[in-house]
Amino acid sequence: MSNISGDHCPLAHDGQDVVKMAHGGGGRAMAQLLDSLFRPAFDNPWLERQHDGAVLDMPGSIAFTTDSYVVRPLFFPGSDIGAMAVHGTVNDIAMCGAEPQYLSAGFILEEGLPLATLRQVVESMATAARATGVRIVTGDLKVVERGKADGLYINTAGVGRVVAAHPIEPGQVQAGDRLLLSGDIGRHGIAVMAAREKLDLESAIESDCASIAAPVLALLNEGISVRCFRDLTRGGLASGVVEVAETAGLAAEVREADIPVREDVSAVCELLGLDPLHVANEGRFIAVVAPEDVDRAIAILRRHGVSEAAVEIGQFIEGSAGRVTAQSLIGGSRIVDRLSGEQLPRIC
Amino acid sequence: MSNISGDHCPLAHDGQDVVKMAHGGGGRAMAQLLDSLFRPAFDNPWLERQHDGAVLDMPGSIAFTTDSYVVRPLFFPGSDIGAMAVHGTVNDIAMCGAEPQYLSAGFILEEGLPLATLRQVVESMATAARATGVRIVTGDLKVVERGKADGLYINTAGVGRVVAAHPIEPGQVQAGDRLLLSGDIGRHGIAVMAAREKLDLESAIESDCASIAAPVLALLNEGISVRCFRDLTRGGLASGVVEVAETAGLAAEVREADIPVREDVSAVCELLGLDPLHVANEGRFIAVVAPEDVDRAIAILRRHGVSEAAVEIGQFIEGSAGRVTAQSLIGGSRIVDRLSGEQLPRIC
């Protein structure tokens, strides 16, 4: 409650380089943290203006989306919360048929978080943003007391210019449309779970966390009639397909034999009693396209590293809204439902 | 870790109406919470589409901003975290010289939060959004374990159409420009502090939390040459003026006698050793205008309830960047600095 003033600087001088409540107070300590850490990392003219928001020149239609990131642990094989906070929101913009351009970043920091950890996360965000060609143009910082967060939480929101000539959304899906999957599933969920539970896996399973904007924009720019995209995060492929089918008022069928799952991922899933169709991903998506576009769409996807293993896995059909059936490897079929409860909390 | 399926619904059937980890799992429990609570409250065509983001038709330049809200307690005299999450972000958009239009909402919920509390917050957001004319068009929901949050945290990001004909930002401020204040200061900070510490105040001090978009847009639409706006949240009036002066490379002087502070607020500040210039507000802003525009700007501001007590309080002058002096009530002068540490944690 005291109103500290003068030259005391909690960040630079007291030898304990951790987040303090003062860093969230709106005063000098916060200003110094922004100047020394965030603005240099996210370096761009909008942040330099130090205003309450960013003014962006964006003629036409824009896509607007948000996600909060609470993944635990903060760092895991193949990625970390910072890279996820960029790629996850970039991917949601791309799923709207738009080119990701600008992000906001809101940080909720727990008192006592080592500043070195914060720096590592912020630099990972900056690296991911540069690699994806997006700018982090506005942000916010809050600090809560010890025990009122878990290290740090990040929210990013994003905007991007719509490039699709027609709406890209579940409501556009028609019976007969085909379901393309951009690659193997389940790696992100298993990587996070293994890191959290300290599972001793024979092979290193790394998260698939990555931007999927490039192949998405390539499909649109090369004239593929994409009805809908959906990235396969919480709830996995199963929830993604069920949700699209429900909103579209259609049923769907998928062929399990055609869904790529790495052998090591499949082995861990079997061991833990998990269905790979429910395991979260961070760099995988489905694209729903007209039947005549399938071959060309697959060829375009395979030109991009992040979707080089793209395959057709099924189709939408007339039927009860949201009913998804999987033809199993051995010939039978089963109903695929969205995840009912939680499989792995705080996966993203 | 188990993969629950079937008809068990954590929201409807088990008699304990609290947030559970399953509500954040991306599966059926989450879908049901979204359908039963969030979509009806924020009712609009973008959310109905159930896509990863919202596509918005916004020709021209847009303002883009974000804030996370971690205020404690969640409810306090005059406002609550939900109304703040709308008004705070709406106000930041307005500060960019833009008309607030669309918000995103990201919720981080603590396991065990009563659903009745969540509903009250969401309904307060919906009411504030309707009153302000903005739509909550995209969102996200995460659940963290007990003890890993404090009830709930909300992030909102917002976009709006820029209406100002020229840039509205600290860099536009010139020596000789006048400093207008939209009303009395300190009520939000004192209201939250009194609620948190259960202070037994003689009079009820209510937060000033409100949208300031209407008077801001009126100034712009009626041709006032506004150089910069700044809303006076964390760090209060002092930090706002110092920050603008620093970025503008100017000094500033304010007249304390002209700064409205309610008598009861002033008395609490004196009792607690607080400087009202450092106390947070949620419905107050400064507008920096050319000297010839002062009278007309004040008249416009006074037409709106939220700024009916607007006054001129000082000016920007040549001098050392960020040096702000206050002429005190008794004639002397003092240096006004931004808050160094924290005055009251989690005020917004």
Short mmCIF file of all heavy atoms in Angstrom, two decimals, chain A residues 4 24 27-28 49-52 54 56 60 62 64-65 67-68 95 140-142 145 147-148 153 169 230 234 337 339 346, chain B residues 24 27-28 49-52 54 56 58 62 64-65 67-68 95 140-142 145 147-148 153 169 230 234 337 339-340 346:
data_model
loop_
_atom_site.label_atom_id
_atom_site.label_comp_id
_atom_site.label_asym_id
_atom_site.label_seq_id
_atom_site.Cartn_x
_atom_site.Cartn_y
_atom_site.Cartn_z
N ILE A 4 5.85 3.97 -3.01
CA ILE A 4 7.30 4.07 -3.19
C ILE A 4 7.63 5.06 -4.30
O ILE A 4 7.02 5.06 -5.35
CB ILE A 4 7.86 2.70 -3.62
CG1 ILE A 4 7.47 1.65 -2.60
CG2 ILE A 4 9.36 2.75 -3.81
CD1 ILE A 4 7.48 0.24 -3.16
N GLY A 24 3.58 -5.01 -11.74
CA GLY A 24 2.24 -4.89 -12.29
C GLY A 24 1.52 -3.63 -11.86
O GLY A 24 0.34 -3.47 -12.12
N GLY A 27 3.43 1.65 -12.64
CA GLY A 27 4.37 2.74 -12.40
C GLY A 27 5.73 2.49 -13.02
O GLY A 27 5.83 1.92 -14.10
N ARG A 28 6.76 2.90 -12.30
CA ARG A 28 8.09 2.88 -12.89
C ARG A 28 8.64 1.47 -13.08
O ARG A 28 9.28 1.18 -14.08
CB ARG A 28 9.05 3.69 -12.01
CG ARG A 28 10.38 3.87 -12.70
CD ARG A 28 11.35 4.59 -11.81
NE ARG A 28 10.78 5.87 -11.42
CZ ARG A 28 11.25 6.60 -10.42
NH1 ARG A 28 12.28 6.17 -9.72
NH2 ARG A 28 10.69 7.76 -10.13
N ARG A 49 5.40 3.62 -30.07
CA ARG A 49 4.53 4.78 -29.86
C ARG A 49 3.98 4.85 -28.45
O ARG A 49 3.46 5.87 -28.03
CB ARG A 49 3.36 4.76 -30.86
CG ARG A 49 3.82 5.16 -32.23
CD ARG A 49 2.67 5.49 -33.17
NE ARG A 49 3.22 5.58 -34.51
CZ ARG A 49 3.15 4.62 -35.43
NH1 ARG A 49 2.49 3.53 -35.18
NH2 ARG A 49 3.72 4.77 -36.60
N GLN A 50 4.07 3.74 -27.72
CA GLN A 50 3.65 3.68 -26.32
C GLN A 50 2.25 4.25 -26.09
O GLN A 50 2.04 5.09 -25.22
CB GLN A 50 4.67 4.39 -25.43
CG GLN A 50 6.05 3.82 -25.63
CD GLN A 50 7.02 4.21 -24.53
OE1 GLN A 50 6.61 4.50 -23.42
NE2 GLN A 50 8.29 4.17 -24.82
N HIS A 51 1.34 3.77 -26.88
CA HIS A 51 -0.03 4.24 -26.74
C HIS A 51 -0.88 3.11 -26.17
O HIS A 51 -0.39 2.03 -25.89
CB HIS A 51 -0.52 4.70 -28.11
CG HIS A 51 -1.72 5.59 -28.03
ND1 HIS A 51 -2.01 6.34 -26.92
CD2 HIS A 51 -2.70 5.85 -28.92
CE1 HIS A 51 -3.13 7.02 -27.14
NE2 HIS A 51 -3.57 6.73 -28.34
N ASP A 52 -2.18 3.39 -25.98
CA ASP A 52 -3.06 2.39 -25.37
C ASP A 52 -3.42 1.26 -26.32
O ASP A 52 -3.99 0.25 -25.91
CB ASP A 52 -4.36 3.05 -24.88
CG ASP A 52 -4.13 3.87 -23.62
OD1 ASP A 52 -3.28 3.48 -22.82
OD2 ASP A 52 -4.81 4.89 -23.45
N ALA A 54 -2.91 -0.12 -30.84
CA ALA A 54 -2.21 0.07 -32.10
C ALA A 54 -3.20 0.46 -33.18
O ALA A 54 -4.31 -0.09 -33.23
CB ALA A 54 -1.51 -1.22 -32.50
N LEU A 56 -3.92 0.28 -37.08
CA LEU A 56 -3.47 -0.57 -38.17
C LEU A 56 -4.22 -0.23 -39.44
O LEU A 56 -5.43 -0.02 -39.40
CB LEU A 56 -3.75 -2.04 -37.81
CG LEU A 56 -3.27 -2.47 -36.41
CD1 LEU A 56 -3.86 -3.82 -36.05
CD2 LEU A 56 -1.76 -2.50 -36.37
N GLY A 60 -10.73 -3.56 -46.00
CA GLY A 60 -11.48 -4.78 -46.29
C GLY A 60 -11.94 -5.52 -45.07
O GLY A 60 -12.17 -4.95 -44.02
N ILE A 62 -11.54 -8.29 -41.99
CA ILE A 62 -10.48 -8.85 -41.16
C ILE A 62 -11.02 -10.03 -40.35
O ILE A 62 -12.21 -10.12 -40.07
CB ILE A 62 -9.88 -7.81 -40.19
CG1 ILE A 62 -10.91 -7.36 -39.14
CG2 ILE A 62 -9.35 -6.61 -40.95
CD1 ILE A 62 -10.29 -6.60 -38.01
N PHE A 64 -10.61 -11.98 -36.67
CA PHE A 64 -10.27 -11.55 -35.31
C PHE A 64 -10.47 -12.77 -34.40
O PHE A 64 -11.53 -13.41 -34.45
CB PHE A 64 -11.22 -10.41 -34.93
CG PHE A 64 -11.08 -9.84 -33.54
CD1 PHE A 64 -9.84 -9.73 -32.93
CD2 PHE A 64 -12.19 -9.38 -32.86
CE1 PHE A 64 -9.72 -9.19 -31.65
CE2 PHE A 64 -12.09 -8.82 -31.59
CZ PHE A 64 -10.85 -8.73 -30.99
N THR A 65 -9.48 -13.10 -33.61
CA THR A 65 -9.57 -14.30 -32.79
C THR A 65 -8.75 -14.15 -31.52
O THR A 65 -7.93 -13.24 -31.41
CB THR A 65 -9.08 -15.53 -33.60
OG1 THR A 65 -9.27 -16.71 -32.84
CG2 THR A 65 -7.61 -15.40 -33.93
N ASP A 67 -6.97 -16.54 -27.94
CA ASP A 67 -6.77 -17.74 -27.13
C ASP A 67 -5.92 -17.37 -25.92
O ASP A 67 -5.02 -16.54 -26.02
CB ASP A 67 -6.04 -18.83 -27.92
CG ASP A 67 -6.98 -19.91 -28.44
OD1 ASP A 67 -7.95 -20.25 -27.73
OD2 ASP A 67 -6.75 -20.41 -29.54
N SER A 68 -6.23 -18.01 -24.78
CA SER A 68 -5.34 -17.92 -23.63
C SER A 68 -4.53 -19.20 -23.57
O SER A 68 -5.02 -20.27 -23.95
CB SER A 68 -6.14 -17.75 -22.34
OG SER A 68 -6.90 -16.57 -22.39
N MET A 95 -7.32 -20.23 -40.00
CA MET A 95 -8.51 -21.08 -40.12
C MET A 95 -9.73 -20.29 -40.61
O MET A 95 -10.72 -20.87 -41.06
CB MET A 95 -8.83 -21.75 -38.78
CG MET A 95 -7.77 -22.73 -38.28
SD MET A 95 -7.50 -24.18 -39.36
CE MET A 95 -6.14 -23.65 -40.40
N ASP A 140 -0.32 -6.06 -22.66
CA ASP A 140 -0.71 -5.73 -21.29
C ASP A 140 0.00 -6.68 -20.35
O ASP A 140 0.31 -7.82 -20.70
CB ASP A 140 -2.22 -5.87 -21.14
CG ASP A 140 -2.69 -5.60 -19.72
OD1 ASP A 140 -2.39 -4.50 -19.22
OD2 ASP A 140 -3.32 -6.47 -19.12
N LEU A 141 0.25 -6.20 -19.15
CA LEU A 141 1.00 -6.96 -18.16
C LEU A 141 0.29 -6.84 -16.83
O LEU A 141 0.04 -5.74 -16.36
CB LEU A 141 2.39 -6.33 -18.07
CG LEU A 141 3.42 -6.97 -17.15
CD1 LEU A 141 3.77 -8.35 -17.67
CD2 LEU A 141 4.66 -6.10 -17.10
N LYS A 142 -0.02 -7.99 -16.22
CA LYS A 142 -0.58 -7.98 -14.88
C LYS A 142 0.25 -8.92 -14.01
O LYS A 142 0.76 -9.93 -14.51
CB LYS A 142 -2.04 -8.45 -14.88
CG LYS A 142 -3.00 -7.52 -15.60
CD LYS A 142 -3.19 -6.24 -14.87
CE LYS A 142 -4.20 -5.27 -15.43
NZ LYS A 142 -4.36 -5.16 -16.84
N GLU A 145 -0.45 -12.34 -6.99
CA GLU A 145 0.35 -12.83 -5.87
C GLU A 145 0.77 -14.28 -6.07
O GLU A 145 0.12 -15.04 -6.78
CB GLU A 145 -0.45 -12.72 -4.56
CG GLU A 145 -0.94 -11.33 -4.21
CD GLU A 145 -2.29 -11.01 -4.83
OE1 GLU A 145 -2.73 -11.73 -5.76
OE2 GLU A 145 -2.91 -10.02 -4.39
N GLY A 147 0.93 -18.04 -5.77
CA GLY A 147 -0.16 -18.99 -5.54
C GLY A 147 -1.45 -18.59 -6.23
O GLY A 147 -2.47 -19.25 -6.07
N LYS A 148 -1.43 -17.49 -7.01
CA LYS A 148 -2.65 -17.07 -7.71
C LYS A 148 -2.52 -17.24 -9.22
O LYS A 148 -3.37 -16.77 -9.99
CB LYS A 148 -2.97 -15.61 -7.38
CG LYS A 148 -3.25 -15.38 -5.88
CD LYS A 148 -4.44 -16.17 -5.39
CE LYS A 148 -4.73 -15.86 -3.92
NZ LYS A 148 -5.75 -16.80 -3.38
N TYR A 153 0.56 -16.99 -17.42
CA TYR A 153 -0.44 -17.28 -18.43
C TYR A 153 -0.33 -16.19 -19.49
O TYR A 153 0.03 -15.04 -19.19
CB TYR A 153 -1.86 -17.25 -17.84
CG TYR A 153 -2.08 -18.24 -16.70
CD1 TYR A 153 -2.82 -17.87 -15.57
CD2 TYR A 153 -1.58 -19.53 -16.76
CE1 TYR A 153 -3.04 -18.76 -14.53
CE2 TYR A 153 -1.80 -20.43 -15.71
CZ TYR A 153 -2.53 -20.04 -14.61
OH TYR A 153 -2.74 -20.93 -13.58
N GLU A 169 -16.10 -21.46 -43.33
CA GLU A 169 -16.67 -21.74 -42.02
C GLU A 169 -17.50 -23.00 -42.09
O GLU A 169 -17.88 -23.44 -43.19
CB GLU A 169 -17.51 -20.55 -41.54
CG GLU A 169 -18.62 -20.17 -42.49
CD GLU A 169 -19.29 -18.84 -42.14
OE1 GLU A 169 -18.67 -17.99 -41.49
OE2 GLU A 169 -20.45 -18.67 -42.54
N ARG A 230 -10.19 -26.28 -39.84
CA ARG A 230 -10.30 -26.37 -38.38
C ARG A 230 -8.98 -26.91 -37.86
O ARG A 230 -8.51 -27.94 -38.34
CB ARG A 230 -11.45 -27.31 -37.99
CG ARG A 230 -11.65 -27.56 -36.50
CD ARG A 230 -12.14 -26.34 -35.70
NE ARG A 230 -13.26 -25.65 -36.23
CZ ARG A 230 -14.43 -25.44 -35.58
NH1 ARG A 230 -14.59 -25.91 -34.37
NH2 ARG A 230 -15.39 -24.74 -36.13
N ARG A 234 -7.24 -28.73 -28.52
CA ARG A 234 -7.95 -29.47 -27.47
C ARG A 234 -9.06 -30.33 -28.04
O ARG A 234 -9.86 -29.85 -28.82
CB ARG A 234 -8.61 -28.49 -26.49
CG ARG A 234 -7.72 -27.96 -25.44
CD ARG A 234 -8.50 -27.06 -24.50
NE ARG A 234 -8.98 -25.83 -25.16
CZ ARG A 234 -9.66 -24.88 -24.55
NH1 ARG A 234 -9.96 -25.01 -23.27
NH2 ARG A 234 -10.03 -23.79 -25.20
N ASP A 337 -16.88 -39.73 -30.96
CA ASP A 337 -17.55 -38.63 -30.28
C ASP A 337 -16.50 -37.60 -29.88
O ASP A 337 -15.31 -37.89 -29.80
CB ASP A 337 -18.28 -39.14 -29.04
CG ASP A 337 -19.44 -38.23 -28.67
OD1 ASP A 337 -19.56 -37.13 -29.26
OD2 ASP A 337 -20.22 -38.61 -27.78
N LEU A 339 -14.52 -35.45 -27.21
CA LEU A 339 -14.08 -35.74 -25.86
C LEU A 339 -15.15 -35.24 -24.89
O LEU A 339 -15.63 -34.12 -25.01
CB LEU A 339 -12.77 -34.98 -25.66
CG LEU A 339 -11.85 -35.36 -24.52
CD1 LEU A 339 -11.46 -36.82 -24.60
CD2 LEU A 339 -10.61 -34.48 -24.59
N ARG A 346 -4.83 -28.51 -19.25
CA ARG A 346 -3.79 -27.51 -19.52
C ARG A 346 -2.78 -27.98 -20.56
O ARG A 346 -1.59 -27.92 -20.37
CB ARG A 346 -3.13 -27.09 -18.21
CG ARG A 346 -4.17 -26.48 -17.28
CD ARG A 346 -3.63 -26.06 -15.98
NE ARG A 346 -2.50 -25.16 -16.19
CZ ARG A 346 -1.68 -24.79 -15.22
NH1 ARG A 346 -1.88 -25.22 -13.99
NH2 ARG A 346 -0.70 -23.98 -15.47
N GLY B 24 -12.76 -27.20 -19.31
CA GLY B 24 -11.69 -26.63 -20.15
C GLY B 24 -11.09 -27.64 -21.10
O GLY B 24 -10.09 -27.35 -21.74
N GLY B 27 -13.96 -30.61 -24.97
CA GLY B 27 -14.91 -31.63 -25.37
C GLY B 27 -16.34 -31.22 -25.10
O GLY B 27 -16.71 -30.06 -25.24
N ARG B 28 -17.14 -32.20 -24.66
CA ARG B 28 -18.56 -31.95 -24.56
C ARG B 28 -18.93 -31.01 -23.42
O ARG B 28 -19.81 -30.17 -23.56
CB ARG B 28 -19.30 -33.28 -24.39
CG ARG B 28 -20.79 -33.09 -24.49
CD ARG B 28 -21.52 -34.38 -24.25
NE ARG B 28 -21.04 -35.39 -25.17
CZ ARG B 28 -21.27 -36.69 -25.00
NH1 ARG B 28 -21.95 -37.12 -23.96
NH2 ARG B 28 -20.82 -37.55 -25.87
N ARG B 49 -21.69 -18.75 -35.52
CA ARG B 49 -21.00 -19.51 -36.57
C ARG B 49 -20.05 -20.55 -36.01
O ARG B 49 -19.58 -21.41 -36.72
CB ARG B 49 -20.23 -18.55 -37.49
CG ARG B 49 -21.16 -17.82 -38.41
CD ARG B 49 -20.43 -17.10 -39.52
NE ARG B 49 -21.38 -16.22 -40.18
CZ ARG B 49 -21.47 -14.92 -39.97
NH1 ARG B 49 -20.63 -14.31 -39.18
NH2 ARG B 49 -22.40 -14.21 -40.57
N GLN B 50 -19.71 -20.41 -34.72
CA GLN B 50 -18.87 -21.39 -34.03
C GLN B 50 -17.58 -21.70 -34.79
O GLN B 50 -17.23 -22.85 -35.02
CB GLN B 50 -19.66 -22.68 -33.78
CG GLN B 50 -20.93 -22.40 -33.02
CD GLN B 50 -21.52 -23.65 -32.40
OE1 GLN B 50 -20.83 -24.62 -32.17
NE2 GLN B 50 -22.80 -23.61 -32.10
N HIS B 51 -16.90 -20.65 -35.17
CA HIS B 51 -15.65 -20.83 -35.89
C HIS B 51 -14.49 -20.44 -34.97
O HIS B 51 -14.69 -20.05 -33.83
CB HIS B 51 -15.70 -19.98 -37.17
CG HIS B 51 -14.71 -20.42 -38.18
ND1 HIS B 51 -14.19 -21.69 -38.22
CD2 HIS B 51 -14.11 -19.76 -39.21
CE1 HIS B 51 -13.34 -21.78 -39.23
NE2 HIS B 51 -13.27 -20.63 -39.83
N ASP B 52 -13.27 -20.55 -35.51
CA ASP B 52 -12.09 -20.25 -34.68
C ASP B 52 -11.89 -18.76 -34.46
O ASP B 52 -11.06 -18.36 -33.65
CB ASP B 52 -10.83 -20.83 -35.34
CG ASP B 52 -10.76 -22.34 -35.20
OD1 ASP B 52 -11.24 -22.85 -34.18
OD2 ASP B 52 -10.22 -23.00 -36.09
N ALA B 54 -13.61 -14.51 -35.75
CA ALA B 54 -14.71 -13.77 -36.36
C ALA B 54 -14.18 -13.02 -37.57
O ALA B 54 -13.08 -12.48 -37.53
CB ALA B 54 -15.30 -12.78 -35.37
N LEU B 56 -14.74 -9.81 -39.85
CA LEU B 56 -15.38 -8.52 -39.65
C LEU B 56 -15.15 -7.64 -40.86
O LEU B 56 -14.03 -7.60 -41.39
CB LEU B 56 -14.77 -7.85 -38.41
CG LEU B 56 -14.69 -8.72 -37.16
CD1 LEU B 56 -13.82 -8.07 -36.10
CD2 LEU B 56 -16.09 -8.99 -36.62
N MET B 58 -14.35 -4.28 -42.03
CA MET B 58 -13.85 -3.05 -41.42
C MET B 58 -12.94 -2.30 -42.38
O MET B 58 -11.72 -2.38 -42.28
CB MET B 58 -13.05 -3.41 -40.17
CG MET B 58 -13.87 -4.12 -39.13
SD MET B 58 -12.97 -4.26 -37.59
CE MET B 58 -13.00 -2.58 -37.03
N ILE B 62 -7.85 0.47 -38.42
CA ILE B 62 -8.48 0.02 -37.19
C ILE B 62 -7.54 0.21 -36.01
O ILE B 62 -6.32 0.22 -36.16
CB ILE B 62 -8.90 -1.46 -37.27
CG1 ILE B 62 -7.68 -2.38 -37.37
CG2 ILE B 62 -9.85 -1.72 -38.41
CD1 ILE B 62 -8.01 -3.83 -37.10
N PHE B 64 -6.42 -1.46 -32.34
CA PHE B 64 -6.37 -2.83 -31.81
C PHE B 64 -5.71 -2.74 -30.44
O PHE B 64 -4.64 -2.13 -30.31
CB PHE B 64 -5.55 -3.68 -32.78
CG PHE B 64 -5.34 -5.12 -32.38
CD1 PHE B 64 -6.32 -5.85 -31.73
CD2 PHE B 64 -4.15 -5.75 -32.72
CE1 PHE B 64 -6.11 -7.18 -31.40
CE2 PHE B 64 -3.94 -7.09 -32.40
CZ PHE B 64 -4.91 -7.81 -31.74
N THR B 65 -6.34 -3.29 -29.42
CA THR B 65 -5.80 -3.16 -28.07
C THR B 65 -6.18 -4.36 -27.22
O THR B 65 -7.07 -5.13 -27.58
CB THR B 65 -6.32 -1.85 -27.42
OG1 THR B 65 -5.69 -1.67 -26.17
CG2 THR B 65 -7.83 -1.91 -27.21
N ASP B 67 -6.30 -5.92 -22.83
CA ASP B 67 -6.04 -5.83 -21.39
C ASP B 67 -6.50 -7.11 -20.73
O ASP B 67 -7.51 -7.69 -21.12
CB ASP B 67 -6.80 -4.65 -20.76
CG ASP B 67 -5.91 -3.44 -20.53
OD1 ASP B 67 -4.72 -3.61 -20.21
OD2 ASP B 67 -6.40 -2.31 -20.68
N SER B 68 -5.75 -7.54 -19.71
CA SER B 68 -6.23 -8.62 -18.86
C SER B 68 -6.76 -8.00 -17.59
O SER B 68 -6.27 -6.98 -17.12
CB SER B 68 -5.09 -9.59 -18.52
OG SER B 68 -4.58 -10.17 -19.70
N MET B 95 -9.25 5.70 -26.81
CA MET B 95 -8.04 6.51 -26.62
C MET B 95 -7.18 6.58 -27.88
O MET B 95 -6.32 7.44 -28.01
CB MET B 95 -7.20 5.95 -25.45
CG MET B 95 -7.88 6.01 -24.08
SD MET B 95 -8.23 7.69 -23.49
CE MET B 95 -9.92 7.94 -24.06
N ASP B 140 -12.48 -17.52 -25.81
CA ASP B 140 -11.73 -18.72 -25.43
C ASP B 140 -11.95 -18.96 -23.95
O ASP B 140 -12.17 -18.04 -23.17
CB ASP B 140 -10.25 -18.51 -25.73
CG ASP B 140 -9.41 -19.70 -25.30
OD1 ASP B 140 -9.69 -20.82 -25.76
OD2 ASP B 140 -8.47 -19.52 -24.50
N LEU B 141 -11.86 -20.23 -23.58
CA LEU B 141 -12.12 -20.64 -22.20
C LEU B 141 -11.04 -21.62 -21.77
O LEU B 141 -10.82 -22.62 -22.42
CB LEU B 141 -13.49 -21.34 -22.19
CG LEU B 141 -14.04 -21.80 -20.86
CD1 LEU B 141 -14.35 -20.60 -19.98
CD2 LEU B 141 -15.34 -22.59 -21.11
N LYS B 142 -10.38 -21.32 -20.68
CA LYS B 142 -9.43 -22.28 -20.11
C LYS B 142 -9.78 -22.49 -18.63
O LYS B 142 -10.26 -21.55 -17.97
CB LYS B 142 -7.99 -21.76 -20.22
CG LYS B 142 -7.47 -21.62 -21.64
CD LYS B 142 -7.27 -22.97 -22.29
CE LYS B 142 -6.63 -22.95 -23.65
NZ LYS B 142 -7.02 -21.93 -24.58
N GLU B 145 -6.34 -25.66 -12.35
CA GLU B 145 -6.65 -26.34 -11.10
C GLU B 145 -6.87 -25.35 -9.96
O GLU B 145 -6.38 -24.22 -9.97
CB GLU B 145 -5.51 -27.28 -10.71
CG GLU B 145 -5.17 -28.33 -11.75
CD GLU B 145 -4.14 -27.86 -12.76
OE1 GLU B 145 -3.90 -26.63 -12.86
OE2 GLU B 145 -3.57 -28.71 -13.46
N GLY B 147 -6.34 -23.27 -6.85
CA GLY B 147 -5.09 -22.70 -6.35
C GLY B 147 -4.16 -22.22 -7.44
O GLY B 147 -3.05 -21.78 -7.17
N LYS B 148 -4.61 -22.29 -8.72
CA LYS B 148 -3.77 -21.82 -9.81
C LYS B 148 -4.34 -20.58 -10.48
O LYS B 148 -3.87 -20.16 -11.54
CB LYS B 148 -3.55 -22.94 -10.84
CG LYS B 148 -2.88 -24.19 -10.29
CD LYS B 148 -1.47 -23.90 -9.81
CE LYS B 148 -0.77 -25.17 -9.33
NZ LYS B 148 0.50 -24.85 -8.65
N TYR B 153 -9.90 -14.91 -14.23
CA TYR B 153 -9.24 -13.79 -14.90
C TYR B 153 -9.86 -13.67 -16.28
O TYR B 153 -10.26 -14.66 -16.88
CB TYR B 153 -7.73 -14.05 -15.05
CG TYR B 153 -6.99 -14.27 -13.73
CD1 TYR B 153 -6.00 -15.23 -13.63
CD2 TYR B 153 -7.29 -13.51 -12.61
CE1 TYR B 153 -5.31 -15.44 -12.44
CE2 TYR B 153 -6.61 -13.71 -11.41
CZ TYR B 153 -5.63 -14.68 -11.33
OH TYR B 153 -4.96 -14.89 -10.15
N GLU B 169 -1.90 10.40 -30.56
CA GLU B 169 -0.90 9.66 -29.80
C GLU B 169 0.03 10.64 -29.12
O GLU B 169 0.11 11.82 -29.51
CB GLU B 169 -0.15 8.68 -30.70
CG GLU B 169 0.51 9.36 -31.89
CD GLU B 169 1.05 8.36 -32.92
OE1 GLU B 169 0.55 7.23 -32.98
OE2 GLU B 169 1.97 8.75 -33.66
N ARG B 230 -5.54 9.79 -23.00
CA ARG B 230 -4.96 8.74 -22.16
C ARG B 230 -5.94 8.45 -21.04
O ARG B 230 -6.38 9.39 -20.35
CB ARG B 230 -3.61 9.21 -21.59
CG ARG B 230 -2.90 8.25 -20.64
CD ARG B 230 -2.40 6.96 -21.29
NE ARG B 230 -1.63 7.12 -22.49
CZ ARG B 230 -0.38 6.66 -22.67
NH1 ARG B 230 0.23 6.03 -21.70
NH2 ARG B 230 0.22 6.81 -23.83
N ARG B 234 -4.27 2.14 -13.91
CA ARG B 234 -3.16 1.91 -12.98
C ARG B 234 -2.16 3.05 -13.00
O ARG B 234 -1.72 3.47 -14.06
CB ARG B 234 -2.38 0.65 -13.41
CG ARG B 234 -2.95 -0.62 -12.93
CD ARG B 234 -2.07 -1.77 -13.36
NE ARG B 234 -2.04 -1.95 -14.82
CZ ARG B 234 -1.35 -2.91 -15.42
NH1 ARG B 234 -0.63 -3.75 -14.72
NH2 ARG B 234 -1.40 -3.02 -16.75
N ASP B 337 5.74 12.37 -9.94
CA ASP B 337 6.40 11.26 -10.62
C ASP B 337 5.38 10.16 -10.83
O ASP B 337 4.35 10.10 -10.17
CB ASP B 337 7.56 10.76 -9.77
CG ASP B 337 8.61 10.06 -10.63
OD1 ASP B 337 8.36 9.86 -11.85
OD2 ASP B 337 9.68 9.73 -10.10
N LEU B 339 4.04 6.46 -10.38
CA LEU B 339 4.11 5.53 -9.26
C LEU B 339 5.33 4.64 -9.45
O LEU B 339 5.57 4.12 -10.52
CB LEU B 339 2.84 4.69 -9.31
CG LEU B 339 2.39 3.91 -8.10
CD1 LEU B 339 2.23 4.83 -6.91
CD2 LEU B 339 1.06 3.24 -8.42
N SER B 340 6.13 4.46 -8.39
CA SER B 340 7.33 3.65 -8.58
C SER B 340 7.04 2.17 -8.42
O SER B 340 7.43 1.35 -9.23
CB SER B 340 8.40 4.08 -7.59
OG SER B 340 9.47 3.18 -7.65
N ARG B 346 -3.62 -5.52 -8.16
CA ARG B 346 -4.84 -6.09 -8.74
C ARG B 346 -6.04 -5.15 -8.63
O ARG B 346 -7.11 -5.53 -8.18
CB ARG B 346 -5.10 -7.46 -8.11
CG ARG B 346 -3.91 -8.38 -8.39
CD ARG B 346 -4.08 -9.75 -7.84
NE ARG B 346 -5.34 -10.31 -8.28
CZ ARG B 346 -5.85 -11.41 -7.78
NH1 ARG B 346 -5.20 -12.06 -6.83
NH2 ARG B 346 -6.98 -11.87 -8.21
#
